[in-house]
Amino acid sequence: MTLKRILSRIGALIINAFVMLLSLSCIFPIVWLIYSSLKTEKEFALNIAALPAHPTFENYINAIKTAKMHIYFFNSLFTTVVSVILIVLFSFVVGYFFARYRFAGRNFLYTMFLAGMLIPIHALLVPMFVEFKVLGLLDKRITLILPYVGLGLPMAIFLMENFIKDIPHEIEEAAYIDGATLTTTLFRIILPICKPIISTVVILSSLSSWNEFSFALVLIKSDALKTLPVGLTNFSSQYTVKYTQLMAAITIAILPVIVVYLIFNKRVIQGLVAGAVKG
Amino acid sequence: MKNSRFIKRVLAILVVFGLVLSLAACKKKTAEQPQQSSQNKNIEEKITLTFTHMFTNDGSAISDGFYNALNEYKKAHPNVTIKQEALSHDTYETKIKTLAAGGELPDVFVIKGSMVDPFYNNGQIAPLNDALDSDMAWKNSFVEGAFDDFKRGDKILGIPIQVQPTSLIFYNREIFKEAGINEFPKDWNEFKDAVKKLRAKGYIPITAGNKGKWLVESCILSTLGDRFTGTDWFVSIRDRKGAKFTDPEFVNALRAIDELVKMKAFNSDINSLDNNQQRTLYYNKKAAMFFEGGWAISLVTNEAPKDVLDATELAIIPPVPGGKGLPNTVSGGAGWAFQINANLDGSKKNAAIELLKALSSEAYSRPMLEKGGFPATKVTNYDESKLSTLAKKYQQLAKNIKYVPVYDVQLSPGVIEVMNSGLQDMIIGTLTPEKLAQKIQQEYEREASK
C-alpha cells in the first residue's frame, strides 16, 4: 500500500519535473532577454549567456531618447486598441446575425468573410498600397486601423458565429417575452455570455495588430506614426545588429502583450470551465 | 498656378542675373549685397524634397557623415525642406520595391546594384552623366572604381555611398607567434602551413559564420577566386563573353576552400553562426583569425577586449601559386548608391542634384573616414589622430590594394543563390567542388537561354 503510494508520488514528481523543465525552456528566453538588455554591447559580444557584470539602464535610455520608442509605443497602443474594439464590436454583431438569421445571400456572405483568412498578407501589399494611394489614405492615423480590422474580422467572425450558434435559443425567447428589444438582447443578454470567446478574439487580434509589420512598413511614412515592429528594425544596420539596445526595446515592446495575455488568459479558462459545467 | 510659377522663375532668373552683373561690375558695393541676397531668398522657390534612405542615426561612421552633410545642406539651402524617412537596411529594400511597384518613388533615395536594371528599364531612374560632366571637380573627386557597380555601358546610374573591401583577414598576432608563425604567410602554401600549426596548438584557425550564406562567398571566395582566375575571367563571366564557372581556375578556387574545410581550418558550426557570432570565438581567443569586410574594423574596435584588440592585425588573402590574379587585389565596391527620381525637373531636380553633391562632399566623407568608415570620395585632409589603431592599420594596408568585383554585387541573384547555397553544401561535404561548379554553370546557362 505504502510502496504503491510512494511509487505514484515519485511518478508524479518525475512528470512535474518534466513539465517544469518544459515551461522553463519557454520562460528562459524572456528572462535572458531582460537581463541581456542590461548588459553593454561589449559584454554581450564576449559571452552571450552570462549575467550582466555591471547592470546598466543605458540601453533603455537610448531606446527612448535616440530611437524614440515611446512614440512608436503610443502609436502601436492606439492602433491596436482601436482595431481590437472595432473587431470585437463588428464580429460580435455580424457573428450574431450569421448564427441566428437565415437570409438571402447569407451563405455567400459568410463564405466571403471566411475566404479572407485564405489570402496571404504579402500578396496584398502592392495592391493595397496603390489603393490607399488613390484614395489618399496613406500616412494617416487611421491608415493602419483599416487593414488590421479587415484582416482580423474573418477569424473573429468565424469564432463568434460558432460560439453563438451553441447558445440556447430559449434564453433569447425568455428575454423577448420579458419585453427586451433586439439591442437589449444583443448587448445585455448575449454579450455577457460571449465573454470567453470575446477574450479569445481580443487576445488573437491584439497580438496580430501589435506585431503586424508589413503594412506598417509600407503604408506609413512619417516617423510620428510608425509602430513598434518597424521601430525595432532601427537597431540593425547593414552589417551589424545592436543586440543589447534591441533587447531593451523588445522588452518595452512585449510588456503590454504579456499584460493583455495575463488578464484575458484567466478569463478564457474561467469561461471555458463555466461553459462546461452548464453543459 | 502655372503662370505664377513661370513669373516667379523669370523673376528669379532676372534677380540672379542682376546680382551677378552688379558683383562683376563693382566689387566694392558690399553694402548692397546682403539686401540683394535676402531679396533673392524671398523670390527663390520653396522646394520640398522627399528622401527615403537607410541611415538610422546609430552613431556609426556612415550615419555620422550622412547627418553631418545633410545638416550642412539644409543650412546652405534654407528654401529646401527635406522630408526624410529612415529605415533599417533590410526593411528598406521591401519598402523601396513596393514604392517602385506603386509608382510612388521618393524624390531622392538609395538603390542597390541589383535594383538598377529594373528601375532603369521602367524609366524610374535616369543616368546622372550630364550632372557629373557639368561639374568635373565633383566627378573627379571619387575614388577609382567607385562607379563600377552602377555603370551600365557609359551610363552612370548612381552616386556611390561608400566603397569598402569585403575581404580582409583579421588575425591575432600573439596567437600566431605562439604557434611559431612570426609573420603573416606570404603565399597560399605558407597560409595552409599556418593553419596546420594553429590547429596543432589547439586553436580554431579561422572562425566563420556562414548562416546568412553570403559570408564565405563575399568575404573569402570573391577575393580568393580572383587570385586563381584573374579579373578578366570575371569580366568575361559578367558580360557573358565565354568564360565558364567550370573553368579549371575557378574550380581550383573552390577546391582551395574545400581543402581548408578538410584541414578543419574552420569551426565545426560554420553554417549555424552568423557574422556577428563568428567574432565571439575570436574575442575569446579560441580562434586565431576571421575573414570579414571593412565594416568589421569599427566593430572589433568597439567590442574586442583590449588585449585581443592590441594583438589584432590586418592582412589580405596571400597570392596562390600559379594563380592568374594580381597579389594585391581585394573584392570590394560600392554596393549602394544615391539616386534621384527620373520624374524630377527644373529647380526641384537642381536641388536634388545639389543634395547628391552634398552627400559626396568632404563634409560627408571626412567624419566617415575619421570614424573608420569608407567614403567613396577622396579625402585630402583629415585628422589622423581621430582614427582608431585598427583603422590606421587599414589605411596603411589600403595604400597598395586594388578593388575587384564582389560576386554577389555583380552577378544575377539566381546564380548567387546557387553559389551561396552550394558553398554551404560543400562545407558540410555533400557537394564536391567540381559538382558545385557544374551546378553554378547550369544556372548561369539557364538564365542566358531565357
Side-chain angles (χ1 to χ4, degrees), chain A residues 41-42 44-48 66 125-126 129-130 133 138 213 216-223 226 230 233-243, chain B residues 50 54 56 58-59 85-89 91 94-95 98-99 101-104 162 164 274-277 279-280 283-284 295 299 302-305 336:
Chain A
E41 200 67 48
K42 209 169 183 169
F44 188 78
L46 272 178
N47 193 337
I48 293 179
T66 58
L125 272 184
V126 174
F129 176 77
V130 176
K133 186 185 113 189
L138 286 175
F213 177 74
L217 171 69
V218 169
L219 302 179
I220 294 293
K221 198 170 171 183
S222 50
D223 242 3
K226 281 189 177 155
V230 180
T233 64
N234 285 350
F235 294 97
S236 52
S237 61
Q238 192 170 0
Y239 305 103
T240 60
V241 182
K242 291 189 165 184
Y243 280 110
Chain B
T50 52
M54 46 172 203
T56 48
D58 57 0
E85 183 186 10
L87 291 162
S88 74
H89 174 262
T91 53
T94 317
K95 178 131 189 180
T98 316
L99 291 178
E104 265 295 275
Q162 60 175 344
Q164 69 174 337
D274 70 19
N275 66 312
N276 288 308
Q277 290 155 344
R279 292 190 297 269
T280 304
Y283 295 156
N284 288 316
W295 60 84
L299 295 171
N302 292 333
E303 291 171 353
W336 287 83

Side-chain angles (χ1 to χ4, degrees), chain A residues 33-34 36-39 41 56-70 72-73 76 210-211 227-236 241-257:
Chain A
L33 176 81
I34 293 171
S36 295
S37 70
L38 302 174
K39 282 168 139 181
E41 200 67 48
T56 161
F57 282 95
E58 207 183 328
N59 292 319
Y60 287 89
I61 297 167
N62 280 340
I64 289 172
K65 255 194 189 158
T66 58
K68 296 185 212 134
M69 290 305 285
H70 58 296
Y72 303 142
F73 187 91
S76 272
W210 188 262
N211 293 331
T227 56
L228 276 175
V230 180
L232 287 179
T233 64
N234 285 350
F235 294 97
S236 52
V241 182
K242 291 189 165 184
Y243 280 110
T244 54
Q245 287 198 18
L246 179 61
M247 281 170 180
I250 292 177
T251 309
I252 298 174
I254 61 171
L255 280 180
V257 180

Side-chain angles (χ1 to χ4, degrees), chain A residues 25-100:
Chain A
S25 74
C26 297
I27 294 168
F28 180 72
I30 295 176
V31 176
W32 174 75
L33 176 81
I34 293 171
Y35 78 70
S36 295
S37 70
L38 302 174
K39 282 168 139 181
T40 60
E41 200 67 48
K42 209 169 183 169
E43 266 183 294
F44 188 78
L46 272 178
N47 193 337
I48 293 179
L51 286 167
H54 312 283
T56 161
F57 282 95
E58 207 183 328
N59 292 319
Y60 287 89
I61 297 167
N62 280 340
I64 289 172
K65 255 194 189 158
T66 58
K68 296 185 212 134
M69 290 305 285
H70 58 296
I71 296 176
Y72 303 142
F73 187 91
F74 171 77
N75 294 333
S76 272
L77 202 66
F78 176 82
T79 318
T80 305
V81 168
V82 177
S83 310
V84 169
I85 291 175
L86 289 177
I87 289 173
V88 168
L89 202 68
F90 287 150
S91 66
F92 173 67
V93 175
V94 175
Y96 177 79
F97 281 96
F98 275 143
R100 286 292 189 248

Side-chain angles (χ1 to χ4, degrees), chain A residues 1-9:
Chain A
M1 190 65 191
T2 44
L3 185 73
K4 217 177 171 186
R5 237 175 141 181
I6 291 170
L7 275 181
S8 80
R9 275 272 171 86

